[in-house]
Amino acid sequence: MQYIFTTPVKYLPGVGEVRAQALAKLGITTVGQLAYHFPRGYQFRGNVKPLAGASVGETASFMLTVATDPTLATLKRGMNLVKLRAFDESGSCEITFFNQPYMKDSLKKGLEYRFYGKLTNERGKLTLSSPIVEPVSEDKPLPALVAVYPLTAGISQKVMSKLVSTALRQLIENALNSPDALPEIIPDSVRQENNLCALGWALQNIHFPPDFEALAIAKRRLIFEELFSFALGAAGSRKKETRTAPAMPDGDITPLTSKLPFELTGAQKRAIDAIRADLSSDRPMRRLVSGDVGSGKTAVAAAAAYLAAKNSFQCAIMAPTEILASQHFSDLAPLFAKLGIECRLLLGSTKAKERKELLKGLSDGSIGVVIGTHALISEDVSFRSLGLVICDEQHRFGVGQRDALAAKGSGSERTVHQLTMSATPIPRTLALFLYGDLDMSALDELPPGRQRVRTFVVDESYRERLNGFIKRQADEGHQTYVVCPAVEEVESGEVSQEDIRLFDCGIDELVPKKPPKAAESWVGVLRDSLPGLRFGCVHGKLKSSEKDAVMSAFAAGELDVLVSTTVIEVGVNVPNATLMIVENAERFGLSQLHQLRGRVGRGSAASCCVLVSDCPPGSRAAKRLDVMRTTYDGFKIAEFDLGERGPGDFIPKGDDEIRQHGALRFRLANLCEDMELLESAVSAAKRILSEKERINS
Ligand code: ADP
Ligand code: MG
């Protein structure tokens, strides 16, 4: 039989119906998928020791000759034990196999084997219990590295290894005759440029590496392949923009900057320069400005809006909540007033009369800049000359909403410039990947004079002191945020989505078994412990009007403590808040914690962030949290997060185009460790796509 990549796995020698069903549980249905069933790790059996040279408790390989015929003894309850003695030049030991009666006949007195296992001392006797055994043969050296596979019931490591080996042999042999045996998706030119080995060699060596070096070469190629094909798909699925946007040649922003109460930071200047260059051309701008909380994105947005207005185009700025939109409005309207630009606010709650007048101003062009919520995309909103759309905190918007707003200035030939502001610093390489079609400006520099929010990690034993701390803030006229991971109590034992996510990421060890604190009940507990303080509670299950009412009360200083879920994550500004407490901190991504921390320290008073977690000292969770204590750079934190939790946290909600692409879970690649490969893969994918386009047109 001629095996190709897509041949059903059941036709492979050694598989059959039963094993085919077991393999299907691992997502393996074809011979090719079997060849792509990568090891989850490797056992290093190359560490060969003489018995006398190993210490008790050490795991190693031992080249031993069987000294006695194995005996099989039956123990209680149908259990059994095979026992024998073996020796090398340095000494001898006992070898036992528990419930593996077949070992009695597979080991022969006088022959040499490699035993891999842990040396123990059983009642004074040096013993290897249930080691892995391989016969030593003259013509085939034993491998130093042995793949360990993800398994399923009915398939052992040994069987899996055998099946993979059979699949590979068949495919590699047949690849000489048929391109369908091992379809190569990386074009030759890209392979040569990036110094990548051939596919067959890579597969052979990732499964059966003769040494670490071969393994590294194989892995590098397969990681590249993974990233390359993803990048190809991600970039290819985005529609090519063929329309033009209005060119805005007047790029002088000094009238604006001279009215700002501060000097722009270098990073702000660079971002504005890039925007100015984008806007001056009729190629539609698609730029993402990503920067830490407090890095001054608003001023960048203001400069962009100003450029549009002075070139006689309208600008719409969309924020995800009424509070944020109102905040932008109160920041920007006075500035634009001084520059003679009409700036207005449009919310869902805007009164009918005002709304009518506002809509008129937008359609006749007398309003230069409009700031609002998604009320801006209502059907009856139309613009005379919309030229620029700015979306703040884009994580909260679906791409659809952004596009709906842009559509108000677009036609079949023309579209608008778009600027997106993200408060989650995105590692540059990930941005390349997620937003291959976006240009990016990073505000990686905070305005001078910012004070750091001192950060502490504590456990439950600090509860009383923590409550005292909250009380002290209130006594001093300051306010506290308390963030909980959940809205409502979950029954213990019930697994939440969040738990599943943590589990996926391999950080399950650290999730304490106790259910997470829930905002709704935790506010009650705090009320009881802190009588006399004024509490409010917000979470995602409230109506947005209810949410806004509580948030406004907090912003107005009418509440001392705001207990919430992460709904407050997004840009609220309450400079009087000086304490941020995060409960079950181990459940949050670091970038998320960083965002939360950014909610305090916005005023002149010293501020603190306290991360409460019961994760054991020294655990991975504790180490993650420690990053928060020592690092204040959002981009660094984001990179750390990316390596630990994967890219899920950075993908805008509702960006289905990206989510559909295999949920961004890579089998081999680690977006954090493999940044260099990622960059080469993305640029190769881009080049291949544009070459294709050239050929097609
Ligand atoms: P974010 O990036 O979180 O949206 P903002 O634009 O709200 O940050 O800016 C945070 C604060 O920093 C605001 O009070 C703003 O006036 C101030 N700010 C912005 N840029 C500068 C600067 N270059 N120098 C000093 N203060 C600045
Ligand atoms: Mg902001």
Side-chain angles (χ1 to χ4, degrees):
M1 181 161 177
Q2 298 278 307
Y3 292 89
I4 59 167
F5 201 82
T6 50
T7 306
V9 72
K10 69 175 173 199
Y11 298 126
L12 199 70
V15 180
E17 291 293 343
V18 177
R19 278 186 178 162
Q21 273 172 27
L23 288 171
K25 292 207 180 97
L26 293 166
I28 301 168
T29 58
T30 69
V31 176
Q33 284 165 346
L34 190 53
Y36 268 78
H37 184 60
F38 298 133
R40 65 177 163 78
Y42 298 85
Q43 234 168 32
F44 182 55
R45 296 189 195 158
N47 179 25
V48 178
K49 292 244 163 154
L51 278 171
S55 37
V56 169
E58 188 173 350
T59 299
S61 289
F62 302 92
M63 310 302 291
L64 306 177
T65 305
V66 173
T68 60
D69 282 321
T71 58
L72 173 64
T74 306
L75 310 174
K76 277 181 288 190
R77 288 192 222 103
M79 292 184 280
N80 56 64
L81 192 70
V82 171
K83 239 190 214 182
L84 58 124
R85 287 198 67 81
F87 64 92
D88 64 12
E89 283 170 1
S90 74
S92 70
C93 72
E94 187 155 278
I95 295 179
T96 57
F97 296 94
F98 189 66
N99 279 350
Q100 298 174 62
Y102 47 85
M103 292 310 289
K104 179 179 183 310
D105 298 321
S106 46
L107 293 175
K108 298 275 179 283
K109 187 165 136 185
L111 292 188
E112 192 185 20
Y113 300 86
R114 181 167 78 176
F115 296 89
Y116 174 82
K118 188 165 153 185
L119 205 57
T120 57
N121 188 331
E122 304 290 332
R123 281 179 242 106
K125 282 189 202 158
L126 210 53
T127 305
L128 273 172
S129 333
S130 302
I132 293 166
V133 186
E134 296 153 290
V136 175
S137 86
E138 292 285 297
D139 39 281
K140 212 175 117 210
L142 289 169
L145 280 165
V146 178
V148 180
Y149 292 97
L151 297 177
T152 184
I155 311 255
S156 66
Q157 286 296 349
K158 221 171 174 170
V159 169
M160 184 61 89
S161 170
K162 185 93 190 94
L163 294 180
V164 168
S165 153
T166 312
L168 273 179
R169 204 176 49 244
Q170 298 294 352
L171 292 178
I172 291 172
E173 261 171 32
N174 200 25
L176 299 172
N177 315 318
S178 161
D180 296 331
L182 283 176
E184 171 66 271
I185 59 166
I186 307 179
D188 278 349
S189 62
V190 175
R191 245 183 57 203
Q192 275 160 21
E193 235 169 55
N194 291 281
N195 224 340
L196 302 169
C197 65
L199 178 56
W201 194 92
L203 288 173
Q204 179 66 36
N205 285 279
I206 195 153
H207 290 291
F208 306 101
D211 51 43
F212 286 107
E213 198 192 347
L215 176 60
I217 295 170
K219 228 174 140 181
R220 183 168 173 278
R221 181 229 138 97
L222 292 166
I223 289 173
F224 188 97
E225 176 177 312
E226 203 169 34
L227 296 169
F228 178 74
S229 61
F230 184 95
L232 215 51
S237 74
R238 287 178 190 259
K239 289 185 287 302
K240 181 90 187 142
E241 183 61 79
T242 52
R243 297 171 294 181
T244 58
M248 304 177 180
D250 183 350
D252 178 18
I253 57 159
T254 37
L256 175 97
T257 47
S258 65
K259 288 185 180 60
L260 288 173
F262 45 73
E263 268 287 304
L264 293 173
T265 64
Q268 282 171 321
K269 282 187 193 144
R270 284 190 294 277
I272 293 171
D273 282 345
I275 291 168
R276 181 198 287 138
D278 290 344
L279 293 179
S280 70
S281 120
D282 68 356
R283 192 175 150 256
M285 171 171 77
R286 298 287 178 266
R287 182 168 294 275
L288 175 76
V289 174
S290 116
D292 242 333
V293 268
S295 58
K297 291 184 288 293
T298 316
V300 174
Y306 173 68
L307 286 175
K310 84 179 308 195
N311 284 277
S312 310
F313 288 97
Q314 290 170 295
C315 169
I317 303 179
M318 185 158 69
T321 64
E322 297 216 336
I323 294 181
L324 274 175
S326 307
Q327 232 162 50
H328 282 321
F329 181 73
S330 54
D331 283 348
L332 298 182
L335 187 63
F336 287 132
K338 284 187 213 154
L339 295 159
I341 296 165
E342 179 77 3
C343 174
R344 300 290 291 270
L345 178 67
L346 179 64
L347 305 173
S349 61
T350 303
K351 298 272 180 321
K353 182 159 164 272
E354 192 191 345
R355 180 185 166 89
K356 198 169 155 209
E357 184 211 347
L358 216 154
L359 295 193
K360 184 168 168 294
L362 288 176
S363 61
D364 70 18
S366 59
I367 297 176
V369 177
V370 65
I371 300 174
T373 56
H374 48 262
L376 289 169
I377 57 180
S378 326
E379 211 161 318
D380 55 351
V381 177
S382 66
F383 293 82
R384 194 178 119 89
S385 57
L386 183 63
L388 170 66
V389 161
I390 302 178
C391 283
D392 194 17
E393 315 288 3
Q394 71 148 9
H395 272 58
R396 298 289 151 143
F397 289 113
V399 172
Q401 281 174 314
R402 188 182 69 197
D403 290 349
L405 183 54
K408 292 188 181 290
S410 309
S412 58
E413 313 265 287
R414 246 174 133 59
T415 182
V416 299
H417 295 288
Q418 291 182 24
L419 184 65
T420 296
M421 324 286 272
S422 162
T424 307
I426 300 172
R428 196 172 60 88
T429 41
L430 179 63
L432 255 178
F433 206 41
L434 293 180
Y435 308 103
D437 58 340
L438 290 189
D439 296 309
M440 181 166 153
S441 296
L443 294 187
D444 48 6
E445 181 184 346
L446 290 185
R450 277 298 147 72
Q451 47 170 332
R452 284 200 165 168
V453 177
R454 282 205 299 155
T455 304
F456 304 89
V457 182
V458 305
D459 61 21
E460 283 297 331
S461 68
Y462 281 76
R463 185 58 69 193
E464 223 161 288
R465 265 187 274 178
L466 206 48
N467 285 341
F469 203 25
I470 298 178
K471 174 97 173 41
R472 201 153 74 233
Q473 308 301 312
D475 289 345
E476 288 168 7
H478 289 303
Q479 294 161 283
T480 299
Y481 291 105
V482 178
V483 175
C484 300
V487 178
E488 298 161 337
E489 278 314 325
V490 280
E491 297 286 315
S492 42
E494 198 178 301
V495 183
S496 72
Q497 279 307 308
E498 182 67 7
D499 286 334
I500 292 170
R501 207 151 65 97
L502 287 170
F503 188 78
D504 271 359
C505 301
I507 32 186
D508 50 319
E509 35 136 354
L510 1 134
V511 182
K513 299 302 164 237
K514 276 184 257 168
K517 298 236 160 50
E520 279 187 337
S521 51
W522 191 241
V523 69
V525 175
L526 285 177
R527 250 193 203 111
D528 293 343
S529 349
L530 292 161
L533 264 53
R534 299 162 301 170
F535 288 88
C537 178
V538 284
H539 52 72
K541 290 203 177 155
L542 295 179
K543 284 207 223 79
S544 63
S545 59
E546 296 172 309
K547 243 188 307 200
D548 283 358
V550 180
M551 295 298 297
S552 305
F554 186 71
E558 292 155 16
L559 300 172
D560 299 307
V561 183
L562 182 69
V563 180
S564 76
T565 55
T566 50
V567 290
I568 56 148
E569 197 183 317
V570 158
V572 210
N573 191 20
V574 182
N576 192 43
T578 47
L579 176 58
M580 164 63 67
I581 297 175
V582 184
E583 299 289 343
N584 301 110
E586 74 284 347
R587 289 175 176 261
F588 295 88
L590 295 187
S591 291
Q592 220 178 353
L593 290 174
H594 182 64
Q595 286 266 310
L596 291 170
R597 174 164 69 183
R599 299 298 112 214
V600 294
R602 307 194 139 213
S604 50
S607 298
C608 288
C609 173
V610 182
L611 306 175
V612 187
S613 172
D614 266 339
C615 57
S619 65
R620 221 161 108 201
K623 285 187 196 133
R624 286 175 66 235
L625 292 180
D626 216 46
V627 172
M628 295 303 297
R629 226 171 35 73
T630 51
T631 310
Y632 290 84
D633 177 339
F635 285 93
K636 285 221 180 81
I637 289 176
E639 283 184 8
F640 193 86
D641 234 5
L642 182 60
E644 282 276 308
R645 282 169 63 105
D649 289 356
F650 299 99
I651 304 171
K653 289 199 173 62
D655 197 340
D656 293 330
E657 247 174 80
I658 285 174
R659 285 195 184 272
Q660 275 163 12
H661 274 283
L664 275 165
R665 283 221 180 280
F666 297 103
R667 295 195 296 170
L668 292 174
N670 173 315
L671 289 185
C672 197
E673 285 165 18
D674 303 320
M675 290 224 185
E676 262 170 57
L677 271 186
L678 176 59
E679 268 175 66
S680 328
V682 169
S683 67
K686 277 189 175 167
R687 206 195 64 218
I688 296 298
L689 283 174
S690 69
E691 274 167 17
K692 261 200 200 130
E693 231 160 60
R694 251 208 327 275
I695 293 166
N696 289 345
S697 65

